[in-house]
Amino acid sequence: MLHLYFHIPFCRQRCAYCDFVTYAGMENHLDAYVAALCTELTMLAVEHAACLALESHPSQIAKNTIFFGGGTPSILSLQQIERILAAAAEFIALEEAEISLEVNPGTLLGGTKALDYFQGLKALGVNRLSLGIQSLDDSLLKLLGRIHTVAEAKACFAAAHQAGFTNVNGDFLFGLPGQQIASWAQTLETLVLWGFEHLSLYSLTLEAETPLAQRIEQGVLALPSEDETATMYEMALAYLAAAGYENYEISNWAKKNASQNNENLLLACNHNLAYWLNQNYLGLGAGAHGQIFPKRYSNQVKITEYLANLQAGQRPVAEEIEIKASERFGETVFLGLRLTKGLTFAHFYERCGVDMRTIYGIMIGQLEDKGLLKITPTAVRLTPRGRMLGNQVFAQFV
Ligand code: SF4
């Protein structure tokens, strides 16, 4: 399977908590950037054709995937997205692929802009949307530096369904400054009422030197306690399970596909499954990463350098490293353990060419004794306690 990630590092303004590779006020480079993405894809696909062909063996991932992430992909015009997809169509049959695009509701304000945009995306073959909403509290949205209100986000979500999208994710944060348990409970209720097919709920990670981190360091704002944040996560687990969502990854929930006869078909994000299953993927764009075993690369982060490299006929690689076997073992385990069903021994063998119990038998036994892992004849997975202490478990394998 082939997995393509297009990084769109353009934002209207920077949010107060964000440390992603993204830039405000550089939209004048968008056309050149789109052309550069197409050039980079051709170069990469030709260079790694043999490696990528190896990925065509049967996989736990149902589809080829294309993911437009950011930054703010919804800053792209439909024509720009069409151009990128036309380049991708040289390597992937678009009609059978999962094609996801991240949307910031603040880029689609006014009149029927959201509906027109979503109808246009659908016509281009995009079949999954991920709405970055983050909170259902206008004062928190303001504090986070988001460029939309709750009402605008709700209208955007409604437009996505109206345009015919049946797989819409909502990205939300919890553990936000001043956030109360009661208001989080209300948020969960509202998310279920809106009817998202997929939810990604992450506890806020405070990134050093962001404006939000500085305000917290200065004592202007305060985060909920660790216990309160853990309670918010447990509430999400309980509430969303009761509402019919399956928590298939630590921070991700999906509904079953109502339009399919196969009741077991979850509307999970296949593209992210590729990361968690430690598959090869091609990352394109400024600051993007890619992995084609046994190598991993990261691109130039500055848009101007990225463009200059491609305009000079060179790949815009900042760093390329050889992934050691030991790193691949560790990464396969800690990524795979993020999945609720756990990591099968068969999958570890397929990715690493060795039995996981030979490498980690003693360690996983010790973690089972501590109540953090459950070992079955076919797999190993986190226990509920292990999920709460996930970082402690993952650290053992890094
Ligand atoms: S919209 Fe997303 S990528 Fe852009 S600044 Fe905000 S959090 Fe960062």
Side-chain angles (χ1 to χ4, degrees), residues 159-365:
H161 270 182
Q162 201 183 334
F165 280 91
T166 53
N167 191 351
V168 183
N169 171 57
D171 259 342
F172 289 87
L173 293 168
F174 60 94
L176 295 169
Q179 192 176 33
Q180 305 289 323
I181 300 270
S183 73
W184 177 242
Q186 227 167 27
T187 295
L188 290 169
E189 259 176 58
T190 309
L191 295 185
V192 170
L193 282 179
W194 282 18
F196 284 98
E197 284 81 17
H198 189 286
L199 287 164
S200 298
L201 309 180
Y202 287 92
S203 76
L204 175 72
T205 306
L206 213 50
E207 303 294 352
E209 291 174 31
T210 56
L212 188 66
Q214 285 163 0
R215 291 182 76 189
I216 286 168
E217 273 161 33
Q218 290 158 1
V220 180
L221 296 169
L223 293 175
S225 69
E226 271 183 28
D227 279 353
E228 283 171 319
T229 304
T231 302
M232 290 181 197
Y233 179 64
E234 285 171 330
M235 287 163 67
L237 288 176
Y239 192 82
L240 295 178
Y245 289 84
E246 184 172 322
N247 174 230
Y248 70 98
E249 191 269 348
I250 289 180
S251 303
N252 285 275
W253 286 257
K255 281 186 179 169
K256 301 257 168 74
N257 190 345
S259 63
Q260 299 272 340
N261 290 334
N262 181 354
E263 287 188 359
N264 291 321
L265 201 63
L266 260 195
L267 288 164
C269 176
N270 287 291
H271 186 82
N272 287 339
L273 279 172
Y275 297 143
W276 296 317
L277 291 168
N278 206 12
Q279 305 288 309
N280 286 348
Y281 61 93
L282 298 181
L284 301 108
H289 297 239
Q291 167 172 292
I292 303 150
F293 195 74
K295 291 196 173 154
R296 177 175 297 144
Y297 65 87
S298 60
N299 278 351
Q300 304 280 358
V301 293
K302 286 196 177 150
I303 290 174
T304 46
E305 286 176 15
Y306 172 80
L307 292 177
N309 270 271
L310 283 158
Q311 282 155 2
Q314 289 162 5
R315 277 190 56 209
V317 174
E319 192 183 21
E320 188 164 72
I321 57 158
E322 190 109 354
I323 308 167
K324 292 186 202 130
S326 59
E327 283 173 58
R328 186 173 227 206
F329 299 161
E331 286 168 2
T332 302
V333 176
F334 80 75
L335 289 167
L337 284 178
R338 293 192 62 91
L339 296 168
T340 314
K341 286 186 178 155
L343 171 67
T344 64
F345 296 122
H347 176 68
F348 185 92
Y349 189 83
E350 185 258 315
R351 296 313 291 159
C352 302
V354 59
D355 192 309
M356 182 179 165
R357 288 157 290 199
T358 310
I359 309 288
Y360 293 120
I362 294 173
M363 194 187 295
I364 60 176

Side-chain angles (χ1 to χ4, degrees), residues 11 13-15 17-18 20 22 70-72 104 146:
C11 289
Q13 68 178 41
R14 279 199 75 101
C15 300
Y17 57 97
C18 180
F20 298 153
T22 190
T72 308
N104 182 332
R146 302 291 302 175

Side-chain angles (χ1 to χ4, degrees), residues 123-146:
L124 292 177
V126 176
N127 47 32
R128 185 174 182 277
L129 297 176
S130 179
L131 309 188
I133 298 176
Q134 314 311 345
S135 172
L136 294 184
D137 177 330
D138 278 330
S139 60
L140 282 176
L141 287 176
K142 203 165 170 199
L143 187 146
L144 294 172
R146 302 291 302 175

